[in-house]
Amino acid sequence: MTPLLLLLTIGAFLLSLMAGKVWIWPTAWFSNAPVGWIFLELRLPRALLGLSIGAVLGLSGAVLQGYLRNPLADPTVLGVSSSAALGGVTAIFLGLNMLPLGLFSSAMLGAGVSILLLLTLARGGGPLGFILGGMVLSTLAGSLTAFLISIAPNPFAASEIINWLMGALTDRLMEDVIKALPLMVIGAALLLMTGRALDALTLGEDGARSIGVNLDQLRWIIVVGVGLSVGASVAVSGVVGFVGLIVPHLIRGMVGEQPSSILLPSALGGAILTLAADSMVRLTPGPTEIRLGIAMAVLGAPFFFMLLWKQRGRAA
């Protein structure tokens, strides 16, 4: 299954390089014509970000569902996405987004603070404390974000905040890739290390401890890995939801229930979904694009309701 997903990822990446209001075929990628400039300055960074953001979101969702043993878990459950978004909104509100690293640094600071708070709130509480701590952070960050929007100094600032929150890869440059990609790679590497421990957790916490799994260390690795990877993705693109919820479920139906076996396929699946969705939003009629975050919400909300319905049927 992994080789097939890898081929589909390559195909989605190539489609992302070509698709748009103006199609750019491979023969023109490095030409001296205007389309060559569009390819190097806009399409290539956008495709690289779509690949990496989708991968870390899919991987984060798979890890969190394995750790929490909850099929409805995704990166938003930790509050990292909303905290990074709050940091970005604060930067826009204060005008720091005009500085070279102002928006990115503020969003990463928000993600970093959420990591420290979550580790404090969830200490000794197990998965339940993890979820409750994440809910507290997510609710607080969402409330503060809404407060900043409501007191924005002018309609233009409020509009800029809302547009950024919707999530998009429009007009991202190679500088954005250079800022975000190293952090996402480090975060993804940490998350990929958790496979054996997640397999052990299928035996329960006591069973995992009995075979040598350090649950406190595992919690640290997951929080830092999700914080770095998801924080960097939000910092560079805004909030893109539902990838971490949808992809692990689809992958689980193909490769089975063993947590370690779905980590890498979920990363590839997340990349495929995000690249394909970003290519599609560019092809919508009209002069502007649908925001990627909106497109993912349109796809993800019905999927989420379907999962809830299936869970309800099992409970009955």
Side-chain angles (χ1 to χ4, degrees):
M1 181 55 65
T2 299
L4 175 60
L5 290 172
L6 184 58
L7 288 175
L8 291 174
T9 302
I10 294 171
F13 184 76
L14 294 175
L15 175 64
S16 181
L17 293 175
M18 293 185 290
K21 298 290 194 257
V22 176
W23 283 77
I24 303 178
W25 303 107
T27 53
W29 282 356
F30 300 102
S31 70
N32 293 323
V35 290
W37 178 89
I38 294 172
F39 170 80
L40 289 174
E41 296 294 325
L42 297 175
R43 292 282 173 86
L44 182 58
R46 184 168 184 168
L48 289 172
L49 286 174
L51 175 73
S52 53
I53 289 170
V56 298
L57 291 177
L59 176 60
S60 298
V63 170
L64 289 171
Q65 289 178 17
Y67 175 70
L68 299 174
R69 284 154 284 167
N70 183 342
L72 301 181
D74 77 337
T76 60
V77 76
L78 296 190
V80 174
S81 297
S82 54
S83 298
L86 174 61
V89 167
T90 302
I92 297 172
F93 181 84
L94 298 176
L96 299 178
N97 58 316
M98 304 305 293
L99 301 175
L101 290 173
L103 179 58
F104 185 85
S105 299
S106 297
M108 286 307 302
L109 179 61
V113 170
S114 73
I115 291 172
L116 296 176
L117 289 175
L118 183 59
L119 288 171
T120 301
L121 291 171
R123 182 177 299 167
L128 179 59
F130 211 56
I131 293 175
L132 293 177
M135 289 177 60
V136 170
L137 289 177
S138 183
T139 302
L140 177 61
S143 299
L144 292 175
T145 298
F147 173 73
L148 290 178
I149 294 173
S150 68
I151 63 170
N154 55 69
F156 301 103
S159 176
E160 185 176 1
I161 289 172
I162 293 171
N163 283 333
W164 183 77
L165 284 174
M166 288 179 183
L169 298 176
T170 310
D171 298 330
R172 299 306 188 265
L173 305 175
M174 195 58 72
E175 288 85 348
D176 298 302
V177 178
I178 293 171
K179 288 184 292 187
L181 189 57
L183 296 174
M184 286 192 276
V185 168
I186 295 171
L190 289 171
L191 294 176
L192 287 170
M193 292 167 50
T194 64
R196 175 183 168 275
L198 295 178
D199 287 346
L201 271 176
T202 59
L203 304 173
E205 291 190 24
D206 292 336
R209 287 194 186 94
S210 70
I211 58 175
V213 175
N214 187 327
L215 296 182
D216 291 333
Q217 183 184 63
L218 176 63
R219 187 182 303 115
W220 268 91
I221 291 173
I222 292 175
V223 172
V224 174
V226 172
L228 287 175
S229 55
V230 175
S233 72
V234 172
V236 80
S237 69
V239 179
V240 178
F242 289 104
V243 177
L245 176 67
I246 296 173
V247 171
H249 281 277
L250 298 178
I251 296 299
R252 199 174 287 114
M254 301 175 188
V255 303
E257 297 288 335
Q258 186 177 8
S260 62
S261 67
I262 72 169
L263 297 187
L264 182 57
S266 291
L268 295 174
I272 294 167
L273 178 60
T274 305
L275 285 168
D278 188 52
S279 297
M280 294 302 104
V281 298
R282 290 180 241 167
L283 299 175
T284 53
T288 59
E289 297 179 4
I290 297 174
R291 310 294 285 185
L292 179 59
I294 295 175
M296 291 309 306
V298 170
L299 290 173
F303 189 86
F304 185 73
F305 281 122
M306 181 187 72
L307 288 178
L308 285 175
W309 188 263
K310 289 175 67 175
Q311 291 293 314
R312 177 188 174 190
R314 289 173 185 170

